[in-house]
Amino acid sequence: EGGAVTLYNAGNAKLATTTAGIDVTGTATLVSGASSAPVHSYTQLELENSSHGALQFSGSATAEQWIWFADDSSSTPVGGITYYHGGPYMAFRVEGSERLRIDASGNVGIGQSNPTSPNDATDFLHIGSATNQDTSIVLQDAVETWEIYQNDDLSFLFDTTNVMTLQRLTGNVGIGTDNPGRPLTISTTN
């Protein structure tokens, strides 16, 4: 049907060349070497190699590549993975909106398209580090920001105000101060 070459199986068109490319009906399997992997019944495209397998998307150094997920009722994607070379960043979309972004520095934003720390931490939403860097977890809504911040000491901040500090070397705890001189120091301002 419109293709220069059409292959049929049991009277049904399965592969056709078209002016736009190749149309496949059913499952497509691309194998380099002997096929050995079991294939799930939902599989529509299988890539197999006896050593390593890869699916590569290439494009302009300032462009994006996507993997989109849509349902049968709409061509509008509802989920997807985007890599943007111009950012650079990788983003994950759910229900049409970006939900998670990883930037070139490895910073992760959940619900934030530009993950930043109000206290300029080097890494945030980071568990474990091979280097001695400041680390923070930022919790933010439309009104306020809380941050758990580690720079030798562990601090809890509201916006940029230090609410509580645990000193690493002494174990002292400061509430309302970032420099507790005793095991427990409480400072209030009226």
Side-chain angles (χ1 to χ4, degrees):
E1 294 178 34
V5 175
T6 303
L7 300 177
Y8 292 88
N9 184 2
N12 297 311
K14 296 297 181 179
L15 179 102
T17 60
T18 68
T19 57
I22 298 174
D23 290 338
V24 177
T25 303
T27 302
T29 303
L30 306 173
V31 178
S32 175
S35 178
S36 62
V39 179
H40 191 279
S41 62
Y42 295 164
T43 301
Q44 297 298 309
L45 174 64
E46 177 193 8
L47 305 174
E48 184 178 339
N49 186 305
S50 58
S51 176
H52 301 285
L55 179 61
Q56 179 172 325
F57 297 85
S58 299
S60 165
T62 58
E64 295 176 310
Q65 277 81 47
W66 303 284
I67 299 173
W68 289 122
F69 304 94
D71 56 42
D72 290 341
S73 63
S74 171
S75 63
T76 303
V78 294
I81 302 168
T82 302
Y83 184 82
Y84 177 52
H85 294 274
Y89 64 81
M90 180 171 280
F92 297 83
R93 302 175 68 82
V94 178
E95 287 302 317
S97 297
E98 183 178 310
R99 304 297 183 189
L100 184 140
R101 179 179 289 201
I102 304 168
D103 70 15
S105 298
N107 297 326
V108 176
I110 298 175
Q112 295 288 321
S113 62
N114 185 20
T116 58
S117 165
N119 291 293
D120 297 322
T122 304
D123 295 312
F124 48 95
L125 198 58
H126 180 114
I127 301 172
S129 176
T131 60
N132 185 17
Q133 302 291 328
D134 301 351
T135 305
S136 74
I137 297 173
V138 177
L139 308 168
Q140 183 176 23
D141 63 18
V143 179
E144 54 201 23
T145 302
W146 280 91
E147 184 172 16
I148 303 168
Y149 182 75
Q150 178 273 328
N151 178 9
D152 293 331
D153 297 336
L154 182 64
S155 299
F156 296 84
L157 298 100
F158 177 73
D159 289 328
T160 57
T161 302
N162 189 327
V163 177
M164 185 173 86
T165 296
L166 171 61
Q167 287 184 328
R168 179 180 64 89
L169 294 176
T170 64
N172 291 349
V173 175
I175 298 175
T177 179
D178 60 0
N179 191 18
R182 301 181 181 274
L184 177 60
T185 302
I186 300 174
S187 176
T188 60
T189 55
N190 297 37

